């Protein structure tokens, strides 16, 4: 049976970033979120053996939800630059692993995940640290 693993990329990168001490590569580029993301991904693949994987990312901090409610996520602190700089590296890693990523302007990863779930009929597993 087909099994689709859908990952909230921002959520898992954020979780990995804060779970580990500051790590950097030989050039001084922050890399802890990449390392943590890779470890989480490998464990989930091993534990659940998905046949397909998709990773959804938030495109930007502002989405259509901010147009509905101006203070949406207004209490959140800005994403640290050390984490922001790692998103391209995480996406490059996923591309090299031939894992499909999704990111759309004005849309949150949560909404992408919901859309993917509505469009697929196989078993679906969602990996996210979000509570909503």
């Amino acid at each position: 049976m087909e099994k689709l693993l859908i990952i909230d990329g921002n959520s898992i990168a954020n979780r990995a970033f804060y779970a580990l001490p500051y790590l950097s590569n030989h050039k001084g580029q922050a890399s802890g979120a990449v390392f943590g993301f890779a470890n989480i991904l490998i464990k989930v693949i091993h534990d659940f053996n998905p046949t397909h994987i998709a990773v959804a990312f938030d495109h930007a901090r502002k989405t259509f939800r901010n147009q509905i409610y101006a203070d949406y996520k207004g209490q959140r602190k800005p994403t640290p630059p050390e984490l922001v700089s790692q998103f391209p590296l995480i996406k490059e890693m996923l591309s090299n692993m031939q894992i499909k990523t999704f990111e759309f302007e004005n849309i949150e990863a949560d909404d992408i995940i919901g859309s993917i779930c509505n469009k697929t009929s196989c078993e679906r597993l969602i990996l996210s640290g979000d509570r909503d």
Side-chain angles (χ1 to χ4, degrees):
M1 176 179 195
E2 291 189 336
K3 189 185 303 184
L4 172 61
L5 170 63
I6 312 165
I7 300 171
D8 182 333
N10 289 74
S11 174
I12 300 308
N14 194 57
R15 182 170 290 235
F17 178 77
Y18 285 106
L20 297 170
Y22 181 81
L23 299 174
S24 62
N25 66 17
H26 67 285
K27 295 179 182 176
Q29 162 71 48
S31 60
V34 180
F35 177 72
F37 194 106
N39 281 331
I40 292 167
L41 178 61
I42 290 166
K43 178 167 180 17
V44 171
I45 290 170
H46 179 265
D47 290 351
F48 295 99
N49 198 29
T51 56
H52 307 286
I53 304 171
V55 182
F57 287 97
D58 297 335
H59 181 70
R61 192 162 179 87
K62 299 281 185 185
T63 69
F64 74 93
R65 295 173 190 267
N66 296 98
Q67 296 167 356
I68 297 167
Y69 178 60
D71 199 33
Y72 180 68
K73 294 188 179 181
Q75 306 303 322
R76 283 202 180 167
K77 295 178 184 176
T79 306
E82 299 83 13
L83 175 53
V84 171
S85 69
Q86 293 182 69
F87 281 106
L89 300 174
I90 291 169
K91 292 172 188 173
E92 180 181 352
M93 174 189 69
L94 293 168
S95 176
N96 289 335
M97 296 173 75
Q98 298 182 355
I99 295 175
K100 179 73 175 157
T101 61
F102 296 87
E103 180 176 1
F104 300 101
E105 189 173 336
N106 206 26
I107 305 293
E108 282 190 8
D110 296 347
D111 297 308
I112 296 169
I113 292 168
S115 294
I116 291 171
C117 286
N118 284 333
K119 298 289 183 186
T120 57
S121 58
C122 63
E123 181 179 356
R124 296 164 298 250
L125 306 167
I126 299 172
L127 178 62
S128 177
D130 283 1
R131 291 179 234 132
D132 57 348

